[in-house]
Amino acid sequence: MTEHEGFTVARDGAVATITLDVPGKLNRVSMAARDQLSAVFTELDADEAVRFVVLTGAGGQFTAGGDIAGFLERSPWQVSQLARNVAAPERCSKPVIARLEGYVFGVGLELALACDFRLAAYDIQLGLPEVTLGMIPGSGGTQRLVRLIGLGRAKDIVMRGRRVLADEALALGLVGAIMPADGLDAAVGGLVDELSRHSPLALAMAKRVLNAAYDGPLHLGLELEGLAYGLLRQTHDFREGVEAFGEKRPPEFTGD
């Protein structure tokens, strides 16, 4: 396990787990932690031994948000660039799973929205309370939220600065599943096992196409999808999947 500013990184086989951990401060994410998280995601993306990344929090909480006072220590230009670091899970070519419990506020929700999958405990409280502090969400929160749940619903959450509990979060599609907190680890493990049976190349390409085209016109998305499909056609995993289907056997994907 390696320690950073307010979080740790542990590797277990093909899974790397990033744990936000700031005792006594509800795992608040400092400005330095934002920079380091971005760097760690880049390192994990380049590590061929890592196939999946899990982002979670210690002590039964994800995070209550960012270090508010720290915003005044950065220039207006610097705070205008905060979204780039928080987008690190989205840039990572590998599946990123957010394991959520307790508070998921501010930059915590923005980080979760940048992940590919969100599994949550019944006790979650999600929110973007920045407007109550004279701010707005500045690390991608307004843009990812509106694309995920629509304009009217995003306005209701952002402009009121209100909290969203588990049942509503599931209904809105903010999380993919809700469960007792003691079932989170099993759910994350089950999702990892399921994804492990798929080609890592296909997963990476699917993520890239979905992220690149989700806010673009249909014709652009179809063009990207077609090009990606053609690239995968040249891989071992594509041929292996086709041949295994024809031979009625489980495929053996190698990532090549």
Side-chain angles (χ1 to χ4, degrees):
M1 179 184 296
T2 55
E3 295 186 3
H4 299 268
E5 171 76 30
F7 66 94
T8 62
V9 182
R11 290 171 169 81
D12 182 9
V15 181
T17 300
I18 301 172
T19 304
L20 304 176
D21 189 2
V22 185
K25 294 187 177 181
L26 298 173
N27 302 334
R28 287 197 176 273
V29 181
S30 68
M31 300 299 284
R34 293 168 183 254
D35 297 335
Q36 292 181 24
L37 278 169
S38 179
V40 164
F41 269 103
T42 299
E43 292 171 8
L44 295 177
D45 199 16
D47 187 341
E48 295 183 359
V50 173
R51 283 197 59 191
F52 308 96
V53 181
V54 177
L55 180 61
T56 189
Q61 305 290 333
F62 190 62
T63 172
D67 177 14
I68 304 302
F71 295 135
L72 296 180
E73 299 172 0
R74 299 289 180 101
S75 70
W77 169 254
Q78 288 173 320
V79 298
S80 76
Q81 304 299 304
L82 292 177
R84 175 161 180 78
N85 284 348
V86 175
E90 194 172 78
R91 288 195 301 272
C92 180
S93 65
K94 298 164 183 179
V96 182
I97 303 167
R99 177 190 177 280
L100 307 174
E101 54 184 329
Y103 295 137
V104 187
F105 291 160
V107 69
L109 181 51
E110 291 175 311
L111 280 166
L113 292 174
C115 295
D116 305 306
F117 303 93
R118 289 170 291 279
L119 303 180
Y122 289 135
D123 70 346
I124 57 163
Q125 297 184 48
L126 294 82
L128 294 169
E130 286 85 351
V131 70
T132 67
L133 302 174
M135 318 172 179
I136 65 169
S139 300
T142 63
Q143 299 308 298
R144 288 193 177 85
L145 188 65
V146 74
R147 285 163 172 76
L148 185 63
I149 67 174
L151 181 59
R153 290 170 172 171
K155 284 182 177 179
D156 185 67
I157 292 172
V158 173
M159 296 177 70
R160 294 172 62 191
R162 70 176 183 86
R163 300 183 182 189
V164 177
L165 304 184
D167 287 338
E168 183 183 5
L170 181 63
L172 290 174
L174 287 172
V175 298
I178 54 177
M179 65 207 70
D182 60 9
L184 274 174
D185 289 338
V188 170
L191 179 55
V192 167
D193 288 343
E194 177 188 339
L195 295 173
S196 295
R197 295 192 289 270
H198 303 329
S199 162
L201 287 177
L203 288 174
M205 192 65 79
K207 176 173 180 174
R208 185 169 185 177
V209 170
L210 287 164
N211 284 344
Y214 81 120
D215 60 347
L218 177 61
H219 71 86
L220 174 61
L222 292 173
E223 184 73 14
L224 289 173
E225 181 184 88
L227 290 171
Y229 197 87
L231 286 173
L232 286 173
R233 168 62 180 82
Q234 304 174 63
T235 67
H236 165 273
D237 281 0
F238 188 106
R239 179 174 294 277
E240 170 64 11
V242 171
E243 293 178 350
F245 178 82
E247 297 167 7
K248 297 181 172 56
R249 61 173 175 81
E252 297 181 4
F253 295 122
T254 63
D256 298 314

